[in-house]
Amino acid sequence: MKIGTIGSGVIVEEFIQAARIVEGVSFDAAYSRTMDRASLFAQKHDIPKAYDDLDAMLADPALDFIYIASPNSLHYSYTMQALHAGKNVIVEKPFAGNVVRAQEMIALAKAKNLMLFEAICNIHMPHFKYISQQFDRIAPIKAIQCNFSQYSSRYTQLKNGEVTNVFDPQFSGGALADINIYNLHFVVGLFGKPDHVTYIANTHENGIDTSGVVTLTYPGMVVECVGAKDSFSKNFGQIQGENGYLYIPEGVNSIKSVETITKDAKIDYNIQDKPRLYYQVDVFKNIYDTQDFVRRDALLEHSLAVVEVAEKARDAINLKFEF
């Protein structure tokens, strides 16, 4: 699994470090818009080839996959370009800015028999699977809370009049797209698409959401997902049932540990010993090696469902992406 990268942010560095632990994964090329930047990034991460011409990198026969970690608004165009070039793709979250574009990406991957994965780490973690196995202990489930909030230095810039990508509607930014999306993946991954979606947000004058609360309703169950980049709090996840609850102490973005609490017992569970981005790459490589298109399609359906939920949430605050 030989990967070429698009992007040079912190998430790319973290992804490279984690993915290299997976046997058979290598990073063979790096692209940036300038050769100086591409070369510096490649040298820093011991990547043999650097490109400032994306078409040239996509034509490199040595590469199997393209990992895309560009600004959100470019996920669609880079993914489509890579798929048209015959490359498998791993695209960072959020998958796409709206349902129409997500459907186009998925359709092209299927038509060309290529792999297309969204790099969302939490749904691939061992603790995520464990959580679903604990439902019988606490059922019936009635309420879920997820809070992932981190004050962003870019919010300080925004208050001072400087609009960066993460707070720019033209770049498909905002708190929901950047941070609350982990909560949506967690809930939709466990329970599927909700019956109803609402979103109440704090917004900047340009319309971008700096923090907000997504409410999802299911039959007999309500969900609250909080995501903030203009404030901070204790991050956590909690699934409440009539007979107990599950608690994720540091948030559902990394699911570092799980506590199961019932009237009779408290069980602490913590078996994850790899970096948080490792598990998704291990899954992707297994699907690629076995050419398991059934599992590919199941993950694509999940990504599409999350895009749909996120789009409905943004509709509630009249925030449109990529039309």
Side-chain angles (χ1 to χ4, degrees), residues 135 138-143 239-246:
F135 288 165
I138 66 169
I141 296 170
K142 294 295 184 180
I239 302 175
Q240 301 170 212
E242 289 185 8
N243 292 290
Y245 65 96
L246 305 176

Side-chain angles (χ1 to χ4, degrees), residues 15-84:
F15 184 87
I16 290 170
Q17 292 168 5
R20 278 177 166 158
I21 302 174
V22 179
E23 185 176 354
V25 172
S26 65
F27 290 85
D28 291 52
Y31 163 80
S32 190
R33 285 173 293 178
T34 68
M35 183 53 75
D36 284 347
R37 190 166 183 176
S39 296
L40 284 172
F41 187 84
Q43 291 170 12
K44 180 179 179 180
H45 297 284
D46 196 26
I47 296 173
K49 288 180 278 189
Y51 289 95
D52 63 354
D53 182 333
L54 182 56
D55 288 331
M57 186 173 82
L58 295 179
D60 188 336
L63 300 178
D64 306 311
F65 271 85
I66 303 300
Y67 168 67
I68 299 168
S70 60
N72 297 344
S73 58
L74 298 175
H75 287 184
Y76 167 81
S77 58
Y78 280 148
T79 295
M80 296 295 281
Q81 192 173 349
L83 291 172
H84 276 300

Side-chain angles (χ1 to χ4, degrees), residues 28 40-41 68 74 77 85 108 121 130 149 160 176 180 194 200 207 214 216 228 234 236 246 269 296 311 316:
D28 291 52
L40 284 172
F41 187 84
I68 299 168
L74 298 175
S77 58
L108 183 57
C121 58
Y130 172 81
S149 300
N160 291 331
L176 193 156
N180 212 353
I200 301 172
V214 178
L216 313 175
K234 183 177 180 63
F236 70 95
L246 305 176
Y269 192 74
R296 176 204 66 177
E311 187 170 13

